[in-house]
Amino acid sequence: MRYPVLILGGTSEARALAAALHSRGVAVVSSLAGRVERPRLPEGEVRLGGFGGPDGLAAWLTEHDVRAVVDATHPFAARISDSAVAATARAGVPLLRLERPGWTRPDGADWRWVDDLDEAAALLPSLGTRAFLTSGRQGLAAFADVDTVWFLIRCVDPPETRLPRHHELLLDRGPYTVDRELNLLRTHRIDVLVTKDSGGSMTAAKLDAATRHGIPSVIVRRPPRPDALTVSDVDDALHWALERYESRP
């Protein structure tokens, strides 16, 4: 089957773009990594799982006569973005990166930037003893040996890795409100927040709550991305995809 537009990723931006294309009659397929047990499915066709690296993705693009690829993966999904750049170059398919902006520190917020989860784990004991860990289930092993800190770990699905000795697991999915996050911080006596610079509004409430609660936030910077044409607005991505769709026979 032909799929003129391939969207990589299950972000809210990816779902919005898929819905907009689908409503215009474009045969769009969204590719999800399959790491979440009950993902929010976009409109149009959906495929789960990887492609087998850049070579596999390039072959899939050619086989399905893809006219345009939009990489709308999570800001920390660096591997698939690397594969997308390499694969689209080999297959001769235009590529656009759709990525939400990172968060901007508001006045009065105590933000501590780190380069990765290992650096976050090393910094934590100097900042507090009860941490709210919201970095997702990937990479939680980085905190497994931090024995002087108790963790409230929130993620969508149960983690499949070694966890810190002192922790409570909270399975939950956004969006969240500031009042709800504040109540969580107070109930569990949290004195430090750990998260990634995911951006967007669905999970930003925890940062506002941390500022109001007067505690520091440890934030992991985004990994470097390969060079690619990038936009941050779904409408811009839609316009770009429609142009590629309409320009080929």
Side-chain angles (χ1 to χ4, degrees), residues 42-126:
E43 295 186 43
E45 295 291 327
V46 177
R47 72 176 301 279
L48 298 176
F51 291 92
D55 290 339
L57 177 53
W60 197 94
L61 296 177
T62 301
E63 177 186 354
H64 295 281
D65 192 27
V66 174
R67 302 181 187 181
V69 176
V70 179
D71 175 13
T73 54
H74 191 276
F76 284 81
R79 182 178 299 178
I80 184 60
S81 293
D82 290 339
S83 290
V85 169
T88 52
R90 294 175 194 177
V93 178
L95 170 69
L96 179 73
R97 170 74 184 159
L98 172 57
E99 182 174 293
R100 70 183 73 134
W103 288 313
T104 301
R105 185 183 69 85
D107 292 341
D110 182 3
W111 287 12
R112 314 293 179 94
W113 290 95
V114 294
D115 289 329
D116 53 39
L117 292 175
D118 289 332
E119 187 177 345
L123 178 63
L124 264 186
S126 68

Side-chain angles (χ1 to χ4, degrees), residues 2-6 61 64-69 92-95 240-241 244-249:
R2 298 175 61 195
Y3 293 116
V5 180
L6 170 66
L61 296 177
H64 295 281
D65 192 27
V66 174
R67 302 181 187 181
V69 176
V93 178
L95 170 69
W240 180 90
R244 273 76 197 162
Y245 170 71
E246 295 167 354
S247 65
R248 288 180 57 180

